[in-house]
């Protein structure tokens, strides 16, 4: 029992996090169009779902907090309050709190409780102030509900509730529902059972055989009552009718009649009730029996449900498993090709080609499954720009283009922090305050653009701003201060920009809360390099900066250049290869400065044979692979370039934890192993 | 389930490194491979011989002799790779152990297994899971997890010394 509750809890947390993310996104949209009714409804609905789910799965604080917010949005929805910027800021802050409220570990701390109550107080204060301020808007709104569903006055309601047999299977605790109802007012519940099977054997313990006749005296409206049933109304029968505009449950006669009714076997009928109300009318004197028509048909529609999604949720482990199998298949395929090539049997060849085609298609579709659109991160970026802009007194418009561009999910994960940092930098150092912008003849509202798109086998992400750009003098001064360059060093603009990526560099005059927390662009660069990406910065003083991130499309298979050094095969990432030359090996023998002249350029080189300590005779001619490295090129000398190779990356494992230059291994068609070189790490190690 | 079966099985695989015999519980040994081409990984510790392809996965291979402070394994007729699973930082990791020869499978009853000697000064004793007595000879049953959680090599001489010490103590006990 406990286990299953935990399962449901985990499921709930997962869904709630999705909901909260959706909420965040909707709020940001609402910020742009505060009068959009649809968005408002969505916010309200999400709050409601959080409230209901939270209560049901034991997240009491979450539930009560969401409840308060829901109330606020309910008022707005009904047109009694307006959306203001202050409200949105408040709600966005609450979004963070809501997230933390889902975290059991954080929940246990005292800090959480105080945060929660502080936030509640803020919401309350806002609510009171705004209700006061916006009151005049109230009067011109008439009450619209004709069936008396409006909240405000005490009335007695009759609720017939049959949850359906399968209700327990969804993990619904019906007692919670009744508790919820009881919180609305005074509840008198008459439980009943239907269709009880004969004998215990026939009784299915997982079925619910119960239904209820509920009498509720409350000042909450019909909507509020219906909302209690929001999670069960798919399969259940719910009828809600108003019996009287007074509290019948306060009259002793009514209650005693109700109790006597409990002993009767038959279900209640309308006429039964009619007489009741007539009776009680006499007793209370003032009650006006009002019979609304039945609320909708017997089975309520799930009107508040989400639109059906045409997607399924699959755990990432399953995807990883699939990817592994596909990788195996690609390797096996290579093997088959080799064997088929050896025997030259026409039939075998045909089958091999067919299998190859299918493997390729399978690989592509499996990879596309593990891709996530960049837009999944947008809400966080928009949020950051909004919050930070306000905090810094800057006005910024954030535009995202090509957000549908898809990336490997591990890549998305490792991109989030660097991108947030880049945006923070743009806001803090790039975009100027409005006054300054006006002075420079710019639009007072700054603009940050996130552009994403495919370029060959890469994904390119650009973050542009139309801010002040990088001040070369300032960077120079700072670099000098930090001892990164010497006084008379002549640097090109390119080189100055590269200084920004040097560890320990930060241009912010003072350490602000925003950026310059010791975490600099060097960390961004390192994080992106960890997923085999590259960063480049272009900047024009006064016009703005553009930071370009180039990433490989998938992480687990790369296009490589196969080379041989001694007896071992190595794979270099093809995306970094610039050019290939051949050279006499003796040119390397007495070369003291480790620079080769290739194609008219002086290029520093690394003699990999020597570097790897390969013994044996050096071939008379070596081949030189020129690779790109941090804005320049470096030549890697190998024995022989074998050709292009598609490498399925396999980790080397923990025992090689000290190994940085070899990022992975790959299995060749004949079953032997080639090592995948991380050229950047290699060059860094050699030069450092 | 696995615990049950591995506890019930009392078979140990013994292997030879130079003149010394070591043993491992059979539940730890996944398979025994013949010597094959090993791809050396540059700039890794001496005892890391390289990697091989084990059914489409990359298996690191350790030169057990080097790890134990001996000269590197010279591939011979008996040279084998024991594929064993070790626990590294709470995670199961497969590793190939290059050994001079696989000896035999021994059945060892509980009374044949003596606890590792508590000779305080020898740090090597923590790599010894048991001392196994087979027909008046003593084998070291290795604690592979301990061996591989340390980057350093072991000193075979000290291990042997520990074993000799054990034999002496046993003799004293029996007389």
């Amino acid at each position: 029992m406990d286990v299953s509750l935990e399962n449901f809890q985990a499921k709930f947390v997962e869904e709630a996090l999705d909901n909260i993310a959706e909420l965040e996104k909707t709020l940001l949209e609402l910020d742009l169009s505060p009068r959009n009714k649809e968005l408002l409804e969505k916010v309200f609905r999400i709050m409601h779902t959080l409230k209901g789910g939270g209560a049901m799965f034991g997240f009491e604080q979450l539930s009560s907090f969401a409840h308060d917010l829901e109330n606020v949005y309910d008022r707005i929805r009904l047109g009694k309050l307006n959306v203001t910027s202050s409200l949105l800021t408040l709600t966005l802050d609450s979004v963070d709190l809501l997230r933390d409220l889902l975290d059991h570990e954080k929940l246990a701390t005292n800090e959480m409780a105080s945060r929660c109550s502080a936030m509640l107080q803020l919401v309350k204060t806002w609510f009171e102030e705004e209700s006061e301020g916006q009151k005049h808007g109230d009067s011109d709104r008439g009450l619209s509900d004709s069936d008396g569903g409006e909240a405000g006055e005490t009335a007695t309601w009759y609720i017939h509730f049959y949850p359906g047999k399968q209700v327990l299977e969804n993990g619904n605790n019906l007692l919670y529902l009744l508790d919820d109802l009881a919180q609305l007012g005074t509840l008198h519940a008459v439980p009943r059972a239907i269709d009880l099977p004969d004998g215990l054997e026939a009784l299915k313990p997982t079925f619910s055989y119960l239904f209820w006749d509920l009498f509720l005296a409350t000042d909450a409206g019909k909507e509020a009552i219906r909302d209690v049933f929001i999670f069960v109304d798919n399969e259940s029968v719910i009828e809600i009718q108003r019996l009287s505009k007074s509290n019948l449950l306060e009259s002793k006669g009514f209650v005693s009649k109700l109790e006597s009714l409990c002993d009767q076997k038959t279900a209640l009928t309308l006429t039964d009730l009619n007489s009741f109300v007539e009776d009680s009318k006499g007793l209370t004197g003032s009650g006006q029996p009002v019979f609304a028509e039945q609320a909708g048909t017997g089975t309520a529609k799930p009107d508040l449900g989400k639109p059906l999604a045409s997607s399924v949720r699959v755990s990432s482990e399953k995807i990883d498993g699939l990817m592994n199998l596909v990788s195996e298949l690609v390797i096996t395929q290579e093997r088959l090709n080799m064997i088929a090539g050896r025997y030259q049997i026409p039939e075998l060849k045909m089958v091999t080609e067919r299998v190859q085609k299918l493997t390729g298609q399978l690989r592509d579709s499996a990879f596309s499954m593990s891709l996530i659109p960049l837009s999944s991160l947008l809400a966080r970026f928009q949020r950051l720009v909004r919050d930070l802009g306000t905090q810094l007194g800057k006005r910024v418009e954030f535009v995202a283009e090509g957000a549908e561009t898809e990336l490997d999910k591990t890549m998305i994960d490792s991109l989030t922090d660097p991108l947030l940092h880049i945006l923070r930098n743009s806001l803090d150092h790039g975009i100027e305050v409005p006054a300054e912008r006006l002075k420079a003849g710019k639009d007072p509202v700054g603009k940050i653009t996130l552009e994403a798109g495919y370029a060959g086998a890469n994904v390119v992400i650009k973050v542009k701003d139309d801010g002040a750009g990088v001040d070369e003098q300032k960077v120079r001064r700072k670099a000098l201060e930090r001892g990164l360059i010497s006084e008379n060093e002549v640097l090109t603009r390119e080189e100055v920009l590269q200084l920004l990526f040097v560890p320990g560099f930060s241009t912010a005059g003072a350490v602000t809360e925003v950026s310059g927390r010791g975490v600099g662009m060097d960390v961004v660069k390192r994080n992106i390099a960890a997923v085999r990406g590259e960063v480049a910065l272009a900047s024009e003083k006064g016009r703005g900066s553009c930071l370009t991130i180039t990433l490989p499309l998938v992480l687990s298979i790369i296009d490589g250049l196969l080379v041989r050094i001694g007896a071992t095969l190595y794979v270099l990432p093809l995306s970094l290869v610039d050019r290939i030359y051949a050279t006499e090996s003796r040119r390397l023998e007495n070369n003291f400065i480790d620079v080769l002249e290739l194609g008219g350029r002086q290029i520093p080189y690394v003699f990999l044979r020597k570097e790897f300590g390969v013994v044996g005779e050096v071939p008379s001619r070596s081949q030189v692979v020129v690779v790109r490295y941090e804005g320049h090129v470096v030549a890697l000398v190998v024995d022989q370039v074998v050709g292009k190779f598609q490498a399925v990356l396999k980790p080397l494992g923990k025992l090689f934890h000290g190994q940085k230059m070899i990022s992975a291994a790959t299995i060749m068609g004949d079953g032997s192993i080639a090592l995948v070189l991380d050229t950047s790490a290699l060059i860094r190690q050699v030069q450092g | 389930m696995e615990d049950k079966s591995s506890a019930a099985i009392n078979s140990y695989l013994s292997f030879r490194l130079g003149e010394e015999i070591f043993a491992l519980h059979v539940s730890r040994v996944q398979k025994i491979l013949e010597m094959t081409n090993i791809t050396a990984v540059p700039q890794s510790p001496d005892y890391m011989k390289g990697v091989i392809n084990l059914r489409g996965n990359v298996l690191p291979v350790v030169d057990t002799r080097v790890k134990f402070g001996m000269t590197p394994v010279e591939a011979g007729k008996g040279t084998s790779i024991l594929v064993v699973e070790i626990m590294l930082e709470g995670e199961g990791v497969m590793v190939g152990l290059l050994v001079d020869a696989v000896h035999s499978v021994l059945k060892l009853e509980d009374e044949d297994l003596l606890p590792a000697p508590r000779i305080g000064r020898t740090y090597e004793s923590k790599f010894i899971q048991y001392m196994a007595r087979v027909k008046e000879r003593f084998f070291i049953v290795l604690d592979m997890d301990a061996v591989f959680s340390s980057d350093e090599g072991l000193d075979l001489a000290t291990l042997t010394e520990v074993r000799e010490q054990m034999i002496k103590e046993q003799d004293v006990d029996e007389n």
Side-chain angles (χ1 to χ4, degrees):
Chain A
M1 183 67 205
D2 263 3
V3 175
S4 67
L5 182 65
E6 257 163 44
N7 273 344
F8 281 121
Q9 261 187 357
K11 192 108 195 126
F12 166 72
V13 169
E14 202 175 292
E15 274 177 16
L17 285 174
D18 279 356
N19 270 324
I20 292 172
E22 185 72 23
L23 175 68
E24 196 172 27
K25 202 175 121 217
T26 315
L27 286 169
L28 288 163
E29 285 171 33
L30 199 59
D31 192 25
L32 298 176
S33 49
R35 294 197 174 272
N36 190 326
K37 190 112 175 110
E38 219 168 278
L39 293 174
L40 262 178
E41 290 288 347
K42 207 158 152 195
V43 172
F44 175 73
R45 214 156 55 208
I46 293 170
M47 292 291 186
H48 193 96
T49 312
L50 287 176
K51 175 183 91 164
M56 208 164 278
F57 295 100
F59 294 88
E60 302 298 340
Q61 274 172 299
L62 175 91
S63 172
S64 78
F65 189 70
H67 173 75
D68 279 25
L69 282 176
E70 183 198 348
N71 278 346
V72 172
Y73 278 89
D74 194 22
R75 301 296 288 262
I76 296 171
R77 193 172 67 118
L78 296 171
K80 293 184 183 169
L81 285 173
N82 289 326
V83 178
T84 62
S85 177
S86 64
L87 172 70
L88 287 175
T89 307
L90 193 63
T91 324
L92 280 170
D93 288 344
S94 331
V95 164
D96 298 333
L97 180 67
L98 285 172
R99 273 204 189 99
D100 288 345
L101 283 174
L102 283 167
D103 189 331
H104 267 304
E105 275 168 40
K106 286 198 186 150
L107 263 181
T109 61
N110 284 334
E111 189 216 335
M112 217 43 232
S114 60
R115 250 181 83 191
C116 196
S117 58
M119 204 68 202
L120 276 178
Q121 195 51 47
L122 278 177
V123 173
K124 230 169 235 152
T125 319
W126 181 89
F127 188 62
E128 277 158 19
E129 278 172 12
E130 291 294 312
S131 314
E132 205 53 40
Q134 295 184 11
K135 216 168 200 169
H136 52 87
D138 245 19
S139 50
D140 50 34
R141 314 231 172 228
L143 301 183
S144 52
D145 266 354
S146 57
D147 65 346
E150 196 56 34
E153 352 164 359
T154 305
T156 308
W157 298 82
Y158 161 66
I159 305 150
H160 172 78
F161 173 45
Y162 172 58
K165 280 194 176 169
Q166 266 92 27
V167 66
L168 298 175
E169 287 176 13
N170 295 333
N172 283 322
N173 188 336
L174 296 173
L175 288 179
Y176 279 158
L177 282 177
L178 299 184
D179 275 351
D180 281 353
L181 271 185
Q183 270 169 23
L184 293 176
T186 324
L187 179 74
H188 189 98
V190 185
R192 300 174 167 282
I194 49 156
D195 305 338
L196 272 183
D198 293 329
L200 268 179
E201 294 79 22
L203 190 85
K204 291 205 178 166
T206 55
F207 276 13
S208 160
Y209 294 97
L210 292 177
F211 74 96
W212 280 271
D213 285 316
L214 303 161
F215 296 89
L216 177 69
T218 174
D219 55 358
K222 184 170 179 170
E223 274 299 310
I225 299 174
R226 176 159 288 284
D227 283 352
V228 170
F229 296 101
I230 189 163
F231 286 98
V232 289
D233 61 9
N234 263 341
E235 63 263 21
S236 57
V237 180
I238 301 156
E239 288 165 31
I240 304 172
Q241 290 166 30
R242 186 160 67 179
L243 292 181
S244 157
K245 275 188 169 173
S246 63
N247 187 348
L248 290 177
L249 291 176
E250 275 178 353
S251 88
K252 282 199 183 102
F254 183 76
V255 176
S256 65
K257 282 245 172 172
L258 267 186
E259 269 160 11
S260 73
L261 202 85
C262 297
D263 302 330
Q264 293 174 25
K265 269 237 156 180
T266 51
L268 281 179
T269 64
L270 273 177
T271 28
D272 279 336
L273 287 170
N274 233 334
S275 64
F276 255 113
V277 178
E278 293 300 341
D279 285 356
S280 54
K281 179 189 167 194
L283 287 164
T284 57
S286 63
Q288 277 285 334
V290 181
F291 266 100
E293 315 114 67
Q294 245 169 255
T297 48
T299 320
K301 282 181 221 112
D303 50 345
L304 295 182
K306 288 187 220 156
L308 278 178
S310 60
S311 60
V312 277
R313 191 183 272 276
V314 181
S315 78
S316 44
E317 281 119 53
K318 279 189 185 168
I319 301 250
D320 290 347
L322 179 68
M323 298 290 284
N324 283 340
L325 285 175
V326 168
S327 297
E328 298 282 312
L329 190 62
V330 169
I331 293 166
T332 316
Q333 172 66 44
E334 287 247 10
R335 201 133 184 222
L336 182 63
N337 287 352
M338 213 179 68
I339 294 166
R342 195 184 299 154
Y343 293 105
Q344 295 299 340
I345 302 167
E347 271 184 306
L348 176 63
K349 205 175 165 199
M350 259 171 61
V351 177
T352 310
E353 276 169 12
R354 179 87 187 121
V355 174
Q356 169 142 35
K357 207 169 160 194
L358 288 174
T359 310
Q361 285 168 354
L362 181 64
R363 191 197 69 197
D364 290 349
S365 67
F367 277 140
S368 74
M369 254 182 244
S370 66
L371 297 179
I372 296 173
L374 202 64
S375 55
S376 61
L377 294 176
L378 277 190
R380 285 183 70 180
F381 297 161
Q382 263 157 359
R383 174 81 192 279
L384 177 88
V385 172
R386 185 185 188 277
D387 289 3
L388 211 56
T390 319
Q391 198 183 323
L392 295 168
K394 293 178 181 177
R395 291 171 60 196
V396 188
E397 184 193 355
F398 179 72
V399 185
E401 284 164 19
E404 69 282 354
T405 308
E406 291 182 311
L407 279 169
D408 193 280
K409 67 178 167 50
T410 39
M411 203 114 69
I412 289 270
D413 289 344
S414 37
L415 257 185
T416 316
D417 284 342
L419 277 177
L420 283 172
H421 192 82
I422 292 166
L423 284 175
R424 245 183 249 132
N425 264 334
S426 283
L427 273 159
D428 199 18
H429 308 312
I431 304 286
E432 316 91 325
V433 290
E436 222 170 288
R437 289 185 65 91
L438 278 173
K439 227 192 282 170
K442 292 190 200 175
D443 187 332
V445 181
K447 188 172 178 182
I448 296 180
T449 317
L450 182 98
E451 264 179 40
Y454 301 102
N458 291 318
V459 172
V460 177
I461 300 170
K462 289 184 179 173
V463 182
K464 287 187 203 164
D465 67 62
D466 65 347
V470 176
D471 185 338
E472 222 173 293
Q473 290 311 316
K474 221 166 133 193
V475 173
R476 273 200 77 111
R477 265 203 310 278
K478 201 91 204 164
L480 213 58
E481 253 172 54
R482 309 261 154 139
L484 297 171
I485 53 170
S486 60
E487 185 82 53
N488 300 318
E489 212 164 315
V490 183
L491 294 171
T492 62
R493 179 155 176 86
E494 285 292 298
E495 283 168 323
V496 172
L497 290 180
Q498 282 299 322
L499 285 174
L500 294 172
F501 295 104
V502 174
F505 188 93
S506 170
T507 42
V511 173
T512 62
E513 198 200 323
V514 182
S515 48
R517 215 177 305 163
V519 194
M521 292 301 285
D522 59 313
V523 177
V524 168
K525 184 160 193 165
R526 203 171 338 124
N527 285 351
I528 287 171
V531 284
R532 298 206 328 276
E534 294 194 54
V535 190
L537 176 68
S539 178
E540 207 178 324
K541 198 181 168 194
R543 301 288 293 276
S545 310
C546 175
L547 200 122
T548 309
I549 302 172
T550 312
L551 295 160
L553 257 181
V554 278
L555 273 173
S556 45
I557 294 193
I558 66 161
D559 279 319
L561 184 72
L562 196 64
V563 301
R564 190 177 52 79
I565 303 164
T568 310
L569 290 170
Y570 292 87
V571 176
L572 312 177
L574 197 60
S575 58
L576 293 176
V577 174
D578 184 51
R579 238 161 256 204
I580 301 169
Y581 298 95
T583 183
E584 302 278 321
S585 300
R586 63 187 159 74
R587 278 179 70 194
L588 311 164
E589 289 299 316
N590 297 312
N591 195 326
F592 298 108
I593 47 168
D594 288 351
V595 171
L596 274 175
E597 198 201 305
L598 296 164
R601 289 185 292 179
Q602 297 284 330
I603 301 175
Y605 74 88
V606 181
F607 195 8
L608 289 181
R609 230 172 198 284
K610 216 164 83 190
E611 203 56 44
F612 292 170
V614 178
V615 287
E617 203 184 321
V618 182
S620 61
R621 280 182 79 78
S622 294
Q623 281 183 300
V624 183
V625 183
V626 177
V627 296
R628 285 181 284 273
Y629 169 71
E630 309 212 327
H632 17 239
V633 287
V634 174
L636 303 175
V637 182
V638 302
D639 287 3
Q640 186 200 352
V641 173
V642 181
K644 252 181 82 174
F645 181 73
Q646 184 166 259
V648 177
L649 304 190
K650 302 270 177 183
L652 277 183
K654 275 195 161 173
L655 284 168
F656 288 102
H657 57 83
Q659 182 57 263
K660 295 277 186 290
M661 298 179 332
I662 312 289
S663 54
T666 186
I667 289 162
M668 309 288 299
D670 63 357
S672 66
I673 286 185
L675 301 173
V676 180
L677 267 183
D678 179 343
T679 53
S680 298
L682 168 87
I683 295 166
R684 200 172 303 129
Q685 186 178 322
V686 172
Q687 294 188 339
Chain B
M1 200 185 88
E2 199 176 316
D3 278 357
K4 214 199 240 166
S5 58
S6 66
I9 296 171
N10 51 8
S11 302
Y12 289 78
L13 182 79
S14 65
F15 57 90
R16 185 171 60 80
L17 293 179
E19 299 305 310
E20 196 69 22
I21 305 285
F22 295 93
L24 280 172
H25 193 267
V26 287
S27 68
R28 282 307 186 92
V29 184
Q30 308 284 325
K31 59 179 66 172
I32 301 168
L33 306 172
E34 283 178 20
M35 182 59 183
T36 168
N37 256 341
I38 299 175
T39 306
V41 178
Q43 303 192 351
S44 48
D46 287 345
Y47 61 84
M48 294 306 299
K49 183 81 179 170
V51 286
I52 60 166
N53 169 9
L54 178 68
R55 284 223 219 120
N57 281 308
V58 173
L59 181 80
V61 178
V62 171
D63 189 329
T64 321
R65 284 178 57 110
V66 177
K67 181 83 180 168
F68 286 9
M70 303 158 80
T71 54
V73 168
E74 279 173 36
K77 242 169 85 184
T79 313
S80 306
I81 299 171
L82 304 181
V83 181
V84 300
E85 189 180 11
I86 54 168
M87 295 304 287
L88 213 59
E89 292 157 26
E91 232 178 279
V93 176
M94 298 283 268
V95 57
L97 302 181
L98 203 55
V99 300
D100 283 334
V102 173
H103 216 243
S104 61
V105 175
L106 305 166
K107 282 229 179 285
L108 298 175
E109 299 305 329
D110 284 352
E111 59 264 28
D112 298 329
L113 294 172
L114 309 169
R118 277 180 298 277
I119 304 171
R121 64 186 166 83
T122 52
Y123 118 110
E124 259 72 20
S125 63
K126 78 172 178 202
F127 301 128
I128 302 174
Q129 198 171 12
Y130 303 111
M131 295 298 290
R133 181 169 50 186
V134 182
K135 293 180 193 144
E136 302 310 312
R137 285 191 64 186
F138 279 90
F139 297 159
I140 292 169
V141 179
L142 287 166
D143 182 346
M144 282 323 244
D145 299 346
V147 170
F148 281 99
S149 53
S150 144
D151 275 348
E152 296 155 53
L154 282 71
D155 183 13
L156 182 78
T158 326
L159 278 178
T160 320
E161 195 183 296
V162 170
R163 194 198 52 186
E164 294 304 317
Q165 184 80 26
M166 280 289 288
I167 296 171
K168 259 185 229 151
E169 280 175 19
Q170 282 296 310
D171 287 347
V172 171
D173 284 356
E174 274 161 29
N175 293 341

